[in-house]
Amino acid sequence: MLQLAELRARSATLIDQYASLWGRLDLAGNRNRLDEIERQLSSPDAWNNPERLTPVLQEKSQLEGEITRLERLETCRRDVTEWLTLAEEEEAAGEPGQEALESLAEQVMVLQNLLQETEMNMLLSGKEDRLPAIVEIHPGAGGTEAQDWAEMLVRMYLRWADTHDMKAEYLDYLAGDEAGVKSVTLRMAGPNAYGLLKGEKGIHRLIRISPFDSSGRRHTSFASVDVIPDVGQEITVDIKETDLRIDIFRSSGPGGQSVNTTSSAVRITHLPTGISAQCQNEKSQHSNRDTAMQILRARLYELELRKLEEEKKAQYAGKDAIGFGSQIRTYTLQPYRLVKDHRTNTEIGDVEAVLDGRIDQLLRDYLLYLHGQKTN
């Protein structure tokens, strides 16, 4: 049976949260900007150069989505207040109505979800956050055990992408000798893909009874995850042909008649920085070269971002060793079951759910942590 006192308390908390967030939002400003864009698009010569309108149309789409979401938030807050008032009036009259309580409970849940969505959008305000993400996963030392852990992480991110309408595709895949993977590069495309996944960058540690150890001993494995924004063609990165070394080699894989028969894999090295990118996932050498250039462009753009932000971090090859003391998160399956993020201190006991792709709490808590770091 729904209790009015409980719903009243939840409603008050959410309305206070709404008031705090609403003061930082600009619905009127978004509407004014949308009006400006629509006037610009309606001018007679606006479509003479359609390519120049691409960023304008993208901004229009983003504004329309933001306005719709904020209008829903405003309406839902009003509905919660009205249903709460009705439920209280019925209780005062000695005629408690279950219908009013059920409708209030439903609107309270909708308001809670909309507030969380609004909060996430406020945290994802960087210009790179909306871009697709390039996710690279590499096992640490440990052979098959670490390679299997790397493949478990690949599965986790693919499951997460599938439940969030993200398009995931392999850019590069190098299978392990016995099991798992030696290296995987994924591209994730969808709303705020890079902004959501950027906190996954770092060393991930797994503690479990190894399925590859006949003695049943506990093993600790490490894998490195790197996440960079896929700038595509939106941002120009000056890359001179004379600064590139292009190596062609035969693709490698787990086996089969079509493997290692043609030299189609491509590795491109940017000589001034030493940064390289490779792709062997396509049968066509031309396609592999295009994909490798896409990854290289994204890496060079990330390097420029680091310089502009005066970050003193090394590039991927110079990161912390993939080993003890450098992990951002630990996944413990034995002797107890717990996932712990060492930056935010977030702990989740349902390890299977996390490994099955339910990592939203981890992603959200990291964004809150990052926001707190910037405002302190």
Side-chain angles (χ1 to χ4, degrees):
M1 179 71 69
L2 294 168
Q3 299 296 323
L4 179 57
E6 179 185 350
L7 290 173
R8 183 189 292 117
R10 290 177 59 192
S11 299
T13 300
L14 293 174
I15 289 172
D16 286 345
Q17 186 180 350
Y18 167 89
S20 175
L21 283 176
W22 194 259
R24 290 176 278 164
L25 302 172
D26 189 9
L27 179 56
N30 288 336
R31 286 170 172 163
N32 291 337
R33 176 57 184 156
L34 182 59
D35 289 341
E36 291 177 9
I37 291 176
E38 289 177 341
R39 285 195 295 271
Q40 179 182 346
L41 295 176
S42 63
S43 64
D45 57 347
W47 296 89
N48 291 346
N49 190 344
E51 291 184 0
R52 294 182 61 183
L53 287 178
T54 299
V56 178
L57 292 172
Q58 290 175 342
E59 183 184 2
K60 179 176 182 290
S61 177
Q62 291 170 1
L63 283 169
E64 289 172 339
E66 178 74 359
I67 290 169
T68 298
R69 185 174 54 79
L70 294 182
E71 288 175 342
R72 286 178 59 212
L73 178 62
E74 188 177 34
T75 299
C76 186
R77 192 275 306 162
R78 186 168 55 249
D79 290 345
V80 166
T81 302
E82 291 175 354
W83 280 114
L84 177 60
T85 300
L86 179 60
E88 289 176 335
E89 289 175 349
E90 290 182 350
E91 182 184 55
E95 301 174 358
Q98 190 65 20
E99 180 181 353
L101 290 177
E102 290 177 354
S103 297
L104 175 58
E106 180 181 344
Q107 289 304 310
V108 163
M109 183 60 67
V110 173
L111 180 58
Q112 179 178 307
N113 292 336
L114 286 172
L115 286 170
Q116 290 180 353
E117 184 181 340
T118 301
E119 185 180 56
M120 286 292 287
N121 274 272
M122 292 177 66
L123 295 172
L124 295 168
S125 57
K127 67 177 183 179
E128 291 82 30
D129 287 344
R130 62 183 177 83
L131 296 175
I134 294 175
V135 180
E136 297 182 347
I137 302 172
H138 298 265
T144 301
E145 179 71 31
Q147 291 171 14
D148 184 60
W149 170 225
E151 187 171 47
M152 290 169 67
L153 287 173
V154 172
R155 177 183 177 275
M156 181 179 79
Y157 293 125
L158 291 176
R159 288 292 182 92
W160 174 82
D162 186 53
T163 58
H164 288 77
D165 295 324
M166 295 273 178
K167 180 183 178 183
E169 60 180 320
Y170 286 97
L171 299 181
D172 193 39
Y173 183 96
L174 182 59
D177 294 326
E178 298 179 20
V181 294
K182 291 182 178 179
S183 174
V184 170
T185 303
L186 300 168
R187 182 180 186 271
M188 303 281 198
N192 294 314
Y194 174 70
L196 291 169
L197 290 170
K198 62 187 178 185
E200 294 302 289
K201 184 174 184 175
I203 310 304
H204 296 243
R205 177 173 69 171
L206 173 69
I207 302 173
R208 66 171 175 175
I209 299 296
S210 171
F212 305 100
D213 187 335
S214 58
S215 300
R217 292 173 295 184
R218 190 166 71 236
H219 283 245
T220 298
S221 305
F222 298 89
S224 175
V225 176
D226 200 14
V227 184
I228 55 179
D230 180 9
V231 298
Q233 303 298 328
E234 285 191 24
I235 300 172
T236 301
V237 180
D238 185 19
I239 304 176
K240 300 178 182 177
E241 284 290 331
T242 54
D243 289 339
L244 300 179
R245 184 181 73 235
I246 301 176
D247 300 310
I248 310 298
F249 57 98
R250 290 190 176 184
S251 300
S252 60
Q257 293 182 347
S258 62
V259 176
N260 299 325
T261 57
T262 62
S263 296
S264 60
V266 177
R267 180 187 297 109
I268 304 177
T269 304
H270 186 249
L271 299 175
T273 61
I275 294 174
S276 65
Q278 74 175 42
C279 182
Q280 59 179 334
N281 217 45
E282 304 293 337
K283 295 180 180 179
S284 162
Q285 184 185 121
H286 179 74
S287 296
N288 283 331
R289 174 172 173 150
D290 287 347
T291 301
M293 277 299 297
Q294 178 183 359
I295 299 171
L296 181 64
R297 186 181 295 108
R299 288 181 177 168
L300 291 174
Y301 176 65
E302 185 196 30
L303 177 60
E304 289 304 311
L305 284 181
R306 290 178 179 179
K307 289 179 179 178
L308 291 172
E309 296 169 359
E310 298 180 350
E311 295 180 356
K312 303 300 182 181
K313 298 177 182 177
Q315 284 298 296
Y316 183 80
K319 286 181 182 175
D320 292 336
I322 307 180
F324 287 99
S326 58
Q327 63 274 355
I328 63 165
R329 192 179 298 150
T330 297
Y331 307 71
T332 304
L333 298 176
Q334 185 72 26
Y336 53 89
R337 308 181 78 78
L338 184 72
V339 176
K340 179 172 181 177
D341 192 294
H342 301 290
R343 302 160 300 180
T344 64
N345 289 323
T346 300
E347 296 184 350
I348 299 176
D350 193 348
V351 184
E352 286 78 8
V354 172
L355 293 176
D356 203 37
R358 282 176 265 176
I359 58 175
D360 291 303
Q361 182 181 344
L362 295 164
L363 302 182
R364 177 178 178 273
D365 288 354
Y366 175 76
L367 289 173
L368 289 170
Y369 161 81
L370 194 62
H371 180 71
Q373 293 290 100
K374 290 178 179 178
T375 54
N376 288 339

